[in-house]
Amino acid sequence: MAATEAEAEPTKVLEFGLGDGTYCLDIGVIDEIVDAGELTRIPNSPAHVEGVMDLRGRTTTIVDPKTLFDIDEDGPRERIVVFDDAEIDEGGTVGWMVDEVFQVRDVSPEDVDQSTTVEDEGVRGIVKSDDRFVVWVSPDVDDALAADLDDVEGSEA
């Protein structure tokens, strides 16, 4: 199995900032990156939903990943990472409000430590990068959160 991993192609990821941390997403799930614009709040929406915005004629739901990952630090919230509808099963266009976007880079399988994130929803691994760590997240973390909320609501009935 080690030979298979060594031969595996690197994955292109987008690095971005949330608070003081650096995170990344597989570039294959991203449609585009846009400047943060004016959002319309949705009454009674979950805490992680910031609102919606019109993005080239599409109503796009904007999610705050800091809420999903329980990150308390503030940041400039300058960019929105919009996910590819074909890659994300959300029933509509979804974007994450991030503080800033850093770079796109290749990540080799041997650079990803998954041993510390086995039980973490939405975390694919920790990428070892020079003198820092980058948390590789998955955009379907809000699916897991929605399932958890459904379970809570179902048990309350």
Side-chain angles (χ1 to χ4, degrees), residues 74-156:
D74 288 331
R77 300 168 47 99
E78 295 176 345
R79 309 289 279 173
I80 296 175
V81 176
V82 181
F83 297 109
D84 184 345
D85 293 349
E87 298 292 328
I88 306 298
D89 186 27
E90 290 292 322
T93 307
V94 176
W96 278 5
M97 176 80 70
V98 301
D99 292 333
E100 54 190 317
V101 172
F102 299 126
Q103 66 180 343
V104 173
R105 71 181 189 108
D106 290 328
V107 173
S108 299
E110 60 268 14
D111 293 334
V112 181
D113 181 357
Q114 296 175 329
S115 63
T116 59
T117 61
V118 173
E119 300 295 321
D120 292 346
E121 291 288 344
V123 178
R124 293 183 60 183
I126 305 296
V127 179
K128 296 171 267 184
S129 176
D130 301 325
D131 60 345
R132 62 191 175 101
F133 292 107
V134 177
V135 181
W136 189 343
V137 293
S138 175
D140 58 6
V141 66
D142 46 345
D143 288 345
L145 182 64
D148 289 347
L149 289 174
D150 288 344
D151 289 346
V152 169
E153 290 169 2
S155 67
E156 291 175 354

Side-chain angles (χ1 to χ4, degrees), residues 32-40 50 52-56 60 62-65 75-82 95-101:
E32 64 182 316
I33 301 161
V34 298
D35 290 333
E38 189 172 327
L39 301 179
T40 301
E50 288 287 307
V52 295
M53 68 183 289
D54 179 21
L55 189 61
R56 286 179 253 324
T60 303
I62 307 303
V63 171
D64 182 0
R77 300 168 47 99
E78 295 176 345
R79 309 289 279 173
I80 296 175
V81 176
V82 181
W96 278 5
M97 176 80 70
V98 301
D99 292 333
E100 54 190 317
V101 172

